[in-house]
Amino acid sequence: MTTGRYSDHDHEHYERPRRRTRPRTKDRPTYDDAVDARVVTVDRGRFTLLFEGRRVMAMKSRPLGRKGVVVGDHVRVVGDMSGVDGSLARIVEVVPRTTTLRRTADDDDPVERVIVSNADQLVVVTALADPEPRPRLIDRALVAAYDAGMAPLLCLTKADLADPETLLSTYRSLGVPWVVTQLRGEGAGDLGELLDRLRGRTSVLVGHSGVGKSTLVNALIPDAHREVGIVNAVTGRGRHTSTSAYLLELPRGDGWIIDTPGIRSFGLAHVQPENLIEAFPDLDEMIETCPRGCSHGTGEPECGLDEAVLAGQADPDRVESFRRLLAAREASSDW
Ligand SMILES: Nc1nc2c(ncn2[C@@H]2O[C@H](COP(=O)(O)OP(=O)(O)OP(=O)(O)O)[C@@H](O)[C@H]2O)c(=O)[nH]1
Ligand SMILES: [Mg+2]
Ligand SMILES: [Zn+2]
């Protein structure tokens, strides 16, 4: 017992009492000397980190256990941070993530995975042609963005090949911001609008193989040297040129961008309707009158959304868009 020199309250400031049975050498080290770095890419259990402008290789250290480390993570690191060939630092801690982009386990991949962390914007990259745009992919990606609390941005590429109007008309009532880009053909090159939207944030590019994600990254970041593929003229598919997610810093430290491999499928079963409707603040309060267990989908009896439309309190286009996304969540995971 204390002799009165310290109050009980002060005791709480102590570190966990040291157990005498535990040999000293096994005491958990405190990582006062750890430095902050960010995960650029992951390759077979080895991590490339960015630290003071240079790339440093690292591995996970034991205290992390099975905890995953993903592209975009802010990490605390000890050891050799020189970045010279053969050097290997150790990641000792993952800083709590602000966002995670996840995919549910599905036929393609039986494990639920975090794809990237700490991105605040999801850029849904869709080619206007070559490969043909697939609106269901866009819907599914928007669901993933809203669920993850990330701002969506629609980026329509290859404007030299087709007109964006038809596609854009589908997305107007969702209020999703969009940019159109063209990096080939006459008049190619202006990325000012896209750059404005990327400034000061971490953006992750997602979309089918061959839509031009890596081409965009190369155009935005002159020394990115991302490998670019070709689209098969017969199948209209890309060749999955990029094979792992990769984080890059925009010129002048103006933000971060994460290039990802073309996605074949994207499981969304983890997404709850309640989370999705939060992305529709104008509809959110209309569901207060719904019967318990209402999914707010088309045909749900007495759904508050239908009542709100009938009463002229909700925009029918918005309700329809919300329900389209809700249905996209339940559809098969193929993009
Ligand atoms: N016509 C046209 N072609 C483009 C444009 N942007 C990119 N491409 C072409 O599209 C093809 C695929 O580009 P990538 O950047 O490798 O596509 P990706 O999305 O990174 O593909 P994955 O890494 O496989 O997921 C390349 O042949 C590019 O030259 C564009 O604006 N117009
Ligand atoms: Mg690529
Ligand atoms: Zn409802």
Side-chain angles (χ1 to χ4, degrees), residues 213-214 226-227 241-242 259-260:
K213 300 178 293 296
S214 300
R226 296 291 290 161
E227 198 187 334
T241 306
S242 306
D259 190 11
T260 68

Side-chain angles (χ1 to χ4, degrees), residues 10-150:
D10 283 335
H11 260 276
E12 290 171 14
H13 289 282
Y14 281 117
E15 290 291 281
R16 233 181 293 137
R18 190 162 278 162
R19 264 187 259 142
R20 288 221 188 80
T21 50
R22 212 170 167 201
R24 241 174 182 285
T25 47
K26 286 224 179 111
D27 279 355
R28 247 171 171 238
T30 59
Y31 296 108
D32 291 339
D33 51 343
V35 295
D36 296 314
R38 194 159 194 198
V39 178
V40 167
T41 195
V42 183
D43 184 20
R44 280 162 291 174
R46 289 289 152 96
F47 303 86
T48 305
L49 312 179
L50 197 62
F51 172 70
E52 292 183 346
R54 62 179 179 272
R55 298 209 170 99
V56 173
M57 294 301 292
M59 55 183 266
K60 284 204 298 188
S61 77
R62 229 203 281 104
L64 282 176
R66 292 162 65 94
K67 192 172 161 57
V69 176
V70 301
V71 174
D73 272 341
H74 293 281
V75 289
R76 306 265 302 150
V77 194
V78 297
D80 188 345
M81 299 300 286
S82 66
V84 298
D85 260 3
S87 67
L88 196 61
R90 283 186 303 131
I91 301 170
V92 292
E93 197 183 331
V94 178
V95 177
R97 296 163 177 158
T98 57
T99 65
T100 53
L101 180 62
R102 297 191 297 149
R103 45 165 293 165
T104 311
D106 63 14
D107 295 348
D108 265 20
D109 182 349
V111 183
E112 176 169 318
R113 287 180 199 283
V114 174
I115 304 170
V116 299
S117 69
N118 300 318
D120 39 26
Q121 181 163 251
L122 186 82
V123 185
V124 186
V125 187
T126 305
L128 290 161
D130 246 358
E132 283 306 305
R134 278 168 263 196
R136 216 155 64 84
L137 172 154
I138 303 174
D139 288 347
R140 291 182 68 81
L142 292 176
V143 172
Y146 292 136
D147 180 61
M150 296 163 60

